[in-house]
Amino acid sequence: MTPPPPAPDGLTGTADEPIGIAVIGAGYWGPNLVRNFQASTAFRLRRLCDLDVERARRVLGGYSTVQVSADLDEVLADPEVKAVAIATPAGTHLPVALAALRAGKHVLVEKPLAATYSEGRQLVEEADRRGLTLMCDHTYCYTPAVLRIRELLHSGELGELHFLDSVRINLGLVQRDIDVVWDLAPHDLSILDFVLPPGVTPVAVAAHGADGIGAGRACVAYLTLRLNTGAIAHIHVNWLSPVKIRTAIFGGSKRTLVWDDLNPSQRLAIYDRGVDVASPEELGAEQRRDMLVSYRSGDMVAPALTEREALRTMVDEYARAITTGTPALTDGRSGLRVLEILQAASRSLAEGGATIKLDEGHMA
């Protein structure tokens, strides 16, 4: 793959010149972006755009000098705005992000990258053509726990990944326009994409779901992904559970890691316990008829994590990608890979749990 062309003049910031940014959308997630961009020395928040101007003003407070506007074109025409962060409904991501890219702005988009794979691909191709940063805010990827998991898998400390078992369940909120897969699974799928070592990728997905309350869409779902190494990843998402659980188990050939996101005192635990298999050449003829499996029971270690707001780390990564002209850790292509799995999972649900291959439409 050829490297992208350099960013147009004036679209990068330096330590002495913060990057001018506009936040588009002042609803549920927009205020969090506003707060973190205002706290960043790498950015200067210049504008907040929302159709509800009064809501935008309330987000900023009475003494803010940040300009408020309901006119996207006006914001994108501002030469002081070099980058935007989009926190509008998923169905609007394509037109808003395309307009920003065509105006020569770097773009950060909330998850999902777009409403469909084809729309997401349009955004990736447009950013490539213009040499601009396109980043997807997969916030969970920037938590200290997930960054450590990525480090452990990439370094080989856990060994080869054998399985992932992830549970993300709670009571509500049942969405009106999307099912539980599109609501909750993007978190787990983006984390999986983020932590997998280079060369390890999902190749197929099967999904089963149920609508026990007559909502007209799946409220409980199970996704099973096959990786190209033969490993398996299983994801359970659920709107109907009376208890909230956020756990994931990463089973490696050397060690197994348990992540409990709701346990601040011990989010990660690494177990030196597992199964060892003797190779046939190490065994005699009689032994081959017996079990080749032995069990290992060692220590458990709970790594210390430095707590830091994930959005602050994400903002830093956006600045790094813009100033260096290199892809963000969760760039547009990572968002596109998540969209491909989501669409394949929807197709599998519609086809009664059929296994859907993921090798069509991968971008180089």
Side-chain angles (χ1 to χ4, degrees), residues 208-279:
H208 295 82
D211 173 19
I213 61 173
R217 61 196 63 86
C219 296
V220 180
Y222 299 85
L223 280 64
T224 303
L225 293 95
R226 294 281 178 183
L227 308 186
N228 60 340
T229 58
I232 190 172
H234 190 258
I235 296 170
H236 173 200
V237 287
N238 188 341
W239 282 329
L240 307 181
S241 169
V243 295
K244 183 175 182 177
I245 300 175
R246 298 283 187 271
T247 61
I249 303 174
F250 295 82
S253 57
K254 295 180 181 178
R255 296 176 179 84
T256 294
L257 181 146
V258 178
W259 172 31
D260 183 353
D261 194 45
L262 301 184
N263 183 358
S265 64
Q266 185 178 299
R267 295 195 193 277
L268 298 183
I270 301 173
Y271 293 85
D272 186 17
R273 304 171 193 169
V275 177
D276 293 324
V277 181
S279 59

Side-chain angles (χ1 to χ4, degrees), residues 183-215:
D183 182 39
L184 297 182
H187 296 303
D188 305 278
L189 295 174
S190 63
I191 290 167
L192 180 66
D193 181 80
F194 186 73
V195 303
L196 284 178
V200 181
T201 60
V203 295
V205 62
H208 295 82
D211 173 19
I213 61 173

Side-chain angles (χ1 to χ4, degrees), residues 26-360:
Y28 171 71
W29 199 247
N32 295 319
L33 293 174
V34 165
R35 174 170 51 80
N36 279 276
F37 281 118
Q38 285 183 317
S40 171
T41 58
F43 289 94
R44 180 178 175 186
L45 182 64
R46 292 190 172 273
R47 287 178 175 265
L48 177 58
C49 181
D50 194 276
L51 294 175
D52 187 339
V53 173
E54 289 307 314
R55 177 170 63 183
R57 289 198 176 104
R58 288 195 298 271
V59 168
L60 292 170
Y63 301 99
S64 176
T65 59
V66 175
Q67 297 181 60
V68 172
S69 175
D71 187 341
L72 177 63
D73 291 337
E74 175 190 320
V75 172
L76 297 181
D78 185 346
E80 297 298 323
V81 172
K82 312 299 184 184
V84 301
I86 299 170
T88 58
T92 68
H93 286 180
L94 177 67
V96 175
L98 267 184
L101 291 169
R102 289 169 179 168
K105 314 299 184 184
H106 300 290
V107 173
L108 170 75
V109 187
E110 286 310 303
K111 66 90 180 169
L113 178 64
T116 67
Y117 178 87
S118 62
E119 290 184 0
R121 184 163 187 154
Q122 280 184 257
L123 296 179
V124 170
E125 291 174 345
E126 189 73 24
D128 283 352
R129 277 195 297 269
R130 297 177 181 273
L132 294 167
T133 293
L134 175 64
M135 180 176 174
C136 196
D137 179 14
H138 290 146
T139 309
Y140 269 98
C141 295
Y142 295 98
T143 61
V146 174
L147 288 167
R148 180 62 66 86
I149 294 169
R150 174 187 167 93
E151 177 186 320
L152 292 168
L153 280 169
H154 281 228
S155 69
E157 189 169 337
L158 300 182
E160 181 182 347
L161 183 67
H162 286 169
F163 70 90
L164 163 66
D165 197 349
S166 180
V167 180
R168 184 176 299 275
I169 65 176
N170 53 261
L171 191 59
L173 177 69
V174 175
Q175 303 292 327
R176 294 181 179 180
D177 53 345
I178 55 174
D179 62 19
V180 70
V181 172
W182 280 82
D183 182 39
L184 297 182
H187 296 303
D188 305 278
L189 295 174
S190 63
I191 290 167
L192 180 66
D193 181 80
F194 186 73
V195 303
L196 284 178
V200 181
T201 60
V203 295
V205 62
H208 295 82
D211 173 19
I213 61 173
R217 61 196 63 86
C219 296
V220 180
Y222 299 85
L223 280 64
T224 303
L225 293 95
R226 294 281 178 183
L227 308 186
N228 60 340
T229 58
I232 190 172
H234 190 258
I235 296 170
H236 173 200
V237 287
N238 188 341
W239 282 329
L240 307 181
S241 169
V243 295
K244 183 175 182 177
I245 300 175
R246 298 283 187 271
T247 61
I249 303 174
F250 295 82
S253 57
K254 295 180 181 178
R255 296 176 179 84
T256 294
L257 181 146
V258 178
W259 172 31
D260 183 353
D261 194 45
L262 301 184
N263 183 358
S265 64
Q266 185 178 299
R267 295 195 193 277
L268 298 183
I270 301 173
Y271 293 85
D272 186 17
R273 304 171 193 169
V275 177
D276 293 324
V277 181
S279 59
E281 57 269 18
E282 295 174 352
L283 303 172
E286 291 185 8
Q287 291 175 304
R288 287 193 184 100
R289 291 192 292 267
D290 298 328
M291 292 289 291
L292 306 183
V293 173
S294 62
Y295 294 91
R296 180 180 71 256
S297 181
D299 294 332
M300 186 278 286
V301 176
L305 298 174
T306 301
E307 291 297 331
R308 189 171 193 260
E309 186 177 4
L311 272 179
R312 183 66 55 84
T313 304
M314 185 278 299
V315 164
D316 290 346
E317 177 64 4
Y318 190 29
R320 185 204 64 78
I322 291 173
T323 55
T324 63
T326 57
L329 288 174
T330 55
D331 63 357
R333 280 175 165 77
S334 70
L336 200 56
R337 290 190 294 269
V338 170
L339 280 173
E340 184 182 21
I341 297 173
L342 288 170
Q343 283 199 179
S346 292
R347 180 179 159 193
S348 177
L349 281 173
E351 296 181 11
T355 298
I356 308 297
K357 291 184 178 179
L358 298 171
D359 53 1
E360 303 174 5

